[in-house]
Amino acid sequence: MEEKNISQMPVLQNGEAIGSLEEGTLTGKILDKQELLDATVEKVMDRPFPVLQETDTIDHAKELFAQKHAAILVKDANAFTGIFTKSDIITFIAT
């Protein structure tokens, strides 16, 4: 994650979101239990990010971020098409 400058990412299996990895919570878990450095993703992942449909409104995205989600997945009728993060909002507002 650090190599690609990513602070959160979804965990997908067979096209479905089954969990997430977030830099902050992952770091905390590893500091508490160093043996987790050798654990599988399944053992350290958090709950999945919420999903927005491409047709949902920005207001819906704001509601989800207000619930303290680090990221939101975007999906069309068939597959995930993107990820929307708090950093994206800051970049959008700043430009």
Side-chain angles (χ1 to χ4, degrees), residues 22-41:
E22 296 180 47
E23 181 179 48
T25 58
L26 186 56
T27 300
K29 288 175 183 180
I30 291 169
L31 288 173
D32 286 342
K33 296 176 84 175
Q34 291 184 357
E35 62 269 16
L36 290 177
L37 282 170
D38 296 319
T40 62
V41 169

Side-chain angles (χ1 to χ4, degrees), residues 83-94:
I83 185 167
F84 192 47
T85 67
K86 291 179 183 180
S87 177
D88 295 325
I89 291 174
I90 292 168
T91 300
F92 177 77
I93 292 171

Side-chain angles (χ1 to χ4, degrees), residues 12-92:
L12 306 176
Q13 185 175 50
N14 299 323
E16 293 299 320
I18 62 164
S20 65
L21 295 174
E22 296 180 47
E23 181 179 48
T25 58
L26 186 56
T27 300
K29 288 175 183 180
I30 291 169
L31 288 173
D32 286 342
K33 296 176 84 175
Q34 291 184 357
E35 62 269 16
L36 290 177
L37 282 170
D38 296 319
T40 62
V41 169
E42 182 179 46
K43 298 284 185 199
V44 296
M45 69 183 179
D46 295 310
R47 65 187 174 143
F49 297 130
V51 177
L52 281 178
Q53 298 300 312
E54 287 184 338
T55 56
D56 284 340
T57 65
I58 292 297
D59 285 337
H60 190 189
K62 284 193 240 178
E63 291 170 13
L64 292 171
F65 279 126
Q67 297 171 17
K68 308 293 184 206
H69 294 288
I72 300 168
L73 298 177
V74 181
K75 190 173 187 177
D76 67 9
N78 301 311
F80 290 105
T81 58
I83 185 167
F84 192 47
T85 67
K86 291 179 183 180
S87 177
D88 295 325
I89 291 174
I90 292 168
T91 300
F92 177 77

